[in-house]
Amino acid sequence: MSLSRKDFLKYAGGAVGAGVAAGVGYPLAVKGRYHSETPVVPGNSADLKPNGQSVLILGGGLAGLQAGCELADRGFKVTILEKSAVPGGKLKVWKDNHFAKKYFPDGYHREHGMHAIWGFYKNLREFMGRHGYGIERMDDNKSFYTFINREGIYDYQSKTQVATWLHPFDRLQMFFQQGLFIPSKFNPGAPQPSMTAGNARAISKLWGFNWYDDSERKFLDSITFYDWARRCGMDRQYLKHYFDGVAEMGYFMTTREVSALGIANFMKLASIPRDARVDHFKWPPDDTFLYPMVKRIESKGGRILYMTEASGVVMDSNGRIAGIQTNQNLPAGRRVRRCRACGELIIGDTKHDHCPFCGAHPEMFEDLTGEARAPGTFKADHYVVAMDIPGARKFIANSQLPAKPYFKRIMDLSTATILCVNLLYENTDAWEQRFPERASVDADDFFPTGFKVIGWTQNWSRFQIPHLRKKRVDLIEVQVSQWHQFAGSSFKEIARAVHEELKTVIPKLPEPSDFYINRWDNYTGWRPGDEQNRPGVQSPVENLMFIGDWVYVPQQSVFMERTNVTAKMLTNHLLKKVGQKDGKIEILNSGTPDWMTGLIGKFTTVKI
């Protein structure tokens, strides 16, 4: 099926045509800040004197660090407790002194996994630009959206090009570009005859989705994307060879698992060319982004305490939190180690060739002895949980928090698991031969569909670590979201299976000379029902708040953008609590305000 934008216009009819016309007449109405790579909001800068208020943040991931920066800039005394030895959460990086030592003699900056900065991350980009944290811009000649489709014995490659025309004409460019190739189910060597009306109907519903309509949002949260799309009449081949790839890349699950709301969120936010573009953090992000945030907090009198995990709370007679306890549940008389990469505890003397929780090398295990095992209590005026979902669940289970529906909903939230398999290939130009630079098949990454093992795949040597490429070395990361098939398998067996299937796409790959695997169980779930369980920032306990990409905000956002939005909302919330008028943060829309998609929404609904 040739999925061209021209076909979409043909089937979507007058509503889309009118939307394009509205977009063309809308070049200057949107504030220019949304057209900048790092939007500028001068009023968001602050350097205020101490206000006498203290904040204890539980978790040193992106939410905790960003909130820490905003609060410290506005006079709050900030302390962050982080259970691992490194900041960053799902963006964390640590030194691996065993992987690829030939090329990284001082230690490899081993990342949680590859992360993207979408164009619709307006608030994260504003934060990064305000503090001078650089963004690695993807070349306009490149495309993040390359698809490798497997159908029987056939492989197909296609991609959407980056729109480079000025707004709003970039939308027209996007519409009339060559579309994606979707193979026929009955004759895989040929495309589907044409775009179906059902596909066009589903796309128009996605682009017209009104997140601020509670009934539409709740409906999409009640159904999987697969079921929703099929009820719209979407072709199964289109679902398989496009949306399954998108679902596995963004949510680490298939369209039969992810809610229709999860996909609709992403598709609506990325419906404008400039918002669909993808950039990256400057490598390595610990040096360029994470530790600069830590230093900023420390420069304002704040501190971050590593290898320190909250284990309970002390409540006062008024139902407020009086303190956070640490190290309350360590087993007496037994050896206890904590993984410096993920922060999880390893009880007993059992030997491991990698962390049983995250996959880090055993060099990251640290014995807890002496003061490191001693119970402690930390006090503040305000307490903020900035953990991932598993961390928040554990905190609630170990605490004496009131039995409120708010906390019950957190316990019911789902998570996603992923294996990040990284393979090092030496003395090779196999990737370059398969994806020649600046050719029509050029690709730094690809979305594979129809494969058994491999998921979204990225070559670090092509973009993030170019000095490897000069040495004819490829460092390829494969995200395996269908991890269940490897239950009971060794890491060596997993790496072998990934390599073998990767060779069906890149046949000339040699044997890998090294590998490592990260396993993460802490990604935010987007299954049906998750949205209705997301808590707001303020909990029923007056001085306890929650932030992160899994927390509800009254604004359409997703991924690291929502993390930043919750950090800014928390800051404004605390400013109001303490009666401080200075320092309020202006929170931008996530994604560029757009008349076209708004107009489409007047003619359609996601309900079916």
Side-chain angles (χ1 to χ4, degrees):
M1 173 170 62
S2 181
L3 212 62
S4 71
R5 303 302 193 250
K6 188 173 182 179
D7 284 336
F8 176 79
L9 286 174
K10 172 183 175 182
Y11 284 99
V16 177
V20 173
V24 171
Y26 185 46
L28 299 176
V30 176
K31 293 180 180 179
R33 64 181 59 170
Y34 287 100
H35 299 167
S36 171
E37 290 183 7
T38 52
V40 177
V41 184
N44 282 357
S45 297
D47 186 12
L48 304 180
K49 296 179 180 179
N51 61 12
Q53 295 287 308
S54 60
V55 181
L56 183 67
I57 299 175
L58 310 182
L62 287 185
L65 292 176
Q66 291 169 2
C69 287
E70 302 287 26
L71 292 168
D73 283 349
R74 287 156 180 80
F76 291 84
K77 183 178 180 181
V78 173
T79 300
I80 298 177
L81 306 185
E82 167 55 40
K83 71 175 182 178
S84 75
V86 290
K90 289 192 282 289
L91 191 68
K92 68 175 56 180
V93 184
W94 67 95
K95 282 291 187 75
D96 187 329
N97 295 308
H98 296 264
F99 177 74
K101 293 180 65 175
K102 177 179 177 181
Y103 304 101
F104 303 96
D106 296 326
Y108 173 66
H109 293 258
R110 179 167 164 175
E111 296 192 33
H112 191 280
M114 176 66 77
H115 293 277
I117 304 176
W118 266 277
F120 63 79
Y121 285 5
K122 302 303 181 184
N123 288 285
L124 176 60
R125 286 171 175 264
E126 184 275 329
F127 176 86
M128 295 183 70
R130 182 178 6 133
H131 294 297
Y133 305 141
I135 293 174
E136 191 71 48
R137 192 178 190 279
M138 179 174 281
D139 193 302
D140 286 340
N141 295 317
K142 299 281 188 179
S143 173
F144 178 73
Y145 304 97
T146 298
F147 292 82
I148 305 291
N149 302 329
R150 166 62 57 84
E151 190 76 30
I153 63 172
Y154 298 95
D155 283 346
Y156 305 93
Q157 179 178 341
S158 57
K159 63 182 177 182
T160 58
Q161 300 292 335
V162 174
T164 57
W165 296 358
L166 293 176
H167 179 78
F169 303 102
D170 55 351
R171 175 60 64 77
L172 293 174
Q173 183 186 12
M174 182 184 76
F175 268 118
F176 291 104
Q177 282 175 342
Q178 176 66 34
L180 298 175
F181 179 90
I182 305 296
S184 167
K185 179 178 181 179
F186 302 103
N187 182 14
Q192 290 284 76
S194 63
M195 184 176 186
T196 67
N199 292 344
R201 184 184 308 115
I203 293 172
S204 65
K205 287 177 179 291
L206 290 173
W207 282 8
F209 166 50
N210 181 7
W211 185 90
Y212 297 95
D213 184 322
D214 286 346
S215 63
E216 289 208 351
R217 193 171 68 252
K218 290 177 181 178
F219 174 75
L220 291 179
D221 184 45
S222 71
I223 188 172
T224 67
F225 183 77
Y226 181 90
D227 288 339
W228 176 86
R230 290 296 296 147
R231 287 168 65 176
C232 286
M234 184 179 287
D235 184 271
R236 283 191 177 91
Q237 289 294 93
Y238 185 25
L239 264 168
K240 176 180 178 181
H241 290 288
Y242 178 72
F243 281 103
D244 265 344
V246 170
E248 288 194 6
M249 178 277 302
Y251 299 103
F252 316 119
M253 57 187 73
T254 69
T255 54
R256 294 176 185 267
E257 299 172 277
V258 68
S259 71
L261 180 62
I263 298 295
N265 249 343
F266 178 76
M267 295 299 293
K268 179 63 179 282
L269 287 168
S271 63
I272 297 175
R274 71 176 58 254
D275 292 350
R277 73 164 291 117
V278 171
D279 298 313
H280 297 276
F281 296 96
K282 285 188 177 294
W283 193 83
D286 51 340
D287 289 345
T288 64
F289 185 41
L290 301 176
Y291 283 109
M293 282 193 285
V294 171
K295 291 179 181 178
R296 184 173 191 85
I297 294 168
E298 292 174 340
S299 73
K300 300 297 179 71
R303 57 179 180 162
I304 179 167
L305 304 177
Y306 300 103
M307 303 290 279
T308 306
E309 182 179 9
S311 57
V313 302
V314 178
M315 305 294 293
D316 67 17
S317 59
N318 295 317
R320 291 166 50 92
I321 293 181
I324 295 293
Q325 299 172 318
T326 60
N327 289 349
Q328 299 296 316
N329 304 314
L330 300 183
R334 299 192 65 187
R335 184 185 186 190
V336 179
R337 292 168 289 174
R338 190 181 293 278
C339 175
R340 295 174 59 82
C342 68
E344 293 297 325
L345 295 177
I346 303 166
I347 311 298
D349 293 316
T350 304
K351 293 185 178 180
H352 301 276
D353 58 4
H354 57 264
C355 174
F357 300 100
C358 72
H361 191 277
E363 71 169 359
M364 296 299 290
F365 299 169
E366 181 174 318
D367 275 284
L368 300 186
T369 58
E371 291 186 4
R373 291 184 67 121
T377 301
F378 294 83
K379 296 184 177 182
D381 297 308
H382 312 279
Y383 299 87
V384 179
V385 175
M387 303 172 178
D388 53 31
I389 292 174
R393 286 191 196 133
K394 185 176 180 181
F395 171 76
I396 292 171
N398 291 337
S399 302
Q400 304 172 20
L401 296 172
K404 297 284 188 179
Y406 179 98
F407 301 114
K408 171 63 166 58
R409 289 196 298 270
I410 294 175
M411 301 299 284
D412 290 339
L413 287 169
S414 76
T415 56
T417 297
I418 183 175
L419 300 173
C420 291
V421 182
N422 287 257
L423 301 161
L424 187 76
Y425 297 95
E426 298 183 86
N427 300 314
T428 180
D429 56 1
W431 185 287
E432 179 66 26
Q433 290 186 44
R434 178 63 177 80
F435 306 107
E437 186 81 34
R438 301 196 180 280
S440 61
V441 293
D442 178 22
D444 295 342
D445 69 276
F446 60 87
F447 294 59
T449 57
F451 292 84
K452 180 181 178 181
V453 176
I454 62 175
W456 183 76
T457 300
Q458 164 83 29
N459 189 346
W460 291 81
S461 309
R462 284 284 288 246
F463 185 71
Q464 290 290 80
I465 317 178
H467 80 264
L468 288 180
R469 187 178 178 190
K470 295 176 181 179
K471 299 177 180 180
R472 300 185 74 242
V473 173
D474 283 328
L475 175 53
I476 300 175
E477 177 179 300
V478 176
Q479 296 185 355
V480 181
S481 57
Q482 300 306 304
W483 58 274
H484 305 83
Q485 63 188 295
F486 292 117
S489 299
S490 69
F491 272 19
K492 186 175 182 180
E493 290 170 333
I494 296 171
R496 168 54 52 182
V498 170
H499 167 70
E500 292 297 334
E501 193 168 66
L502 194 57
K503 284 192 68 172
T504 66
V505 180
I506 311 171
K508 295 186 179 181
L509 280 175
E511 287 294 302
S513 57
D514 204 351
F515 77 91
Y516 69 83
I517 297 177
N518 294 338
R519 174 185 170 129
W520 304 112
D521 301 304
N522 59 346
Y523 276 96
T524 297
W526 277 86
R527 293 178 173 83
D530 276 334
E531 183 69 9
Q532 69 178 3
N533 286 324
R534 302 199 191 284
V537 169
Q538 177 63 59
S539 84
V541 178
E542 191 274 331
N543 63 340
L544 175 65
M545 288 133 280
F546 287 73
I547 58 175
D549 67 352
W550 52 274
V551 173
Y552 172 81
V553 294
Q555 170 174 328
Q556 185 174 15
S557 57
V558 71
F559 308 144
M560 286 185 286
E561 171 71 357
R562 180 172 290 197
T563 297
N564 186 267
V565 170
T566 61
K568 289 176 175 176
M569 284 189 61
L570 166 77
T571 302
N572 287 342
H573 184 62
L574 285 178
L575 289 173
K576 186 176 181 179
K577 270 181 179 287
V578 304
Q580 182 173 321
K581 296 181 179 179
D582 295 333
K584 184 177 180 180
I585 301 174
E586 179 182 350
I587 300 176
L588 302 174
N589 287 312
S590 298
T592 304
D594 180 58
W595 282 17
M596 175 181 171
T597 54
L599 187 59
I600 293 174
K602 300 293 184 182
F603 293 86
T604 187
T605 175
V606 297
K607 296 179 182 179
I608 46 176

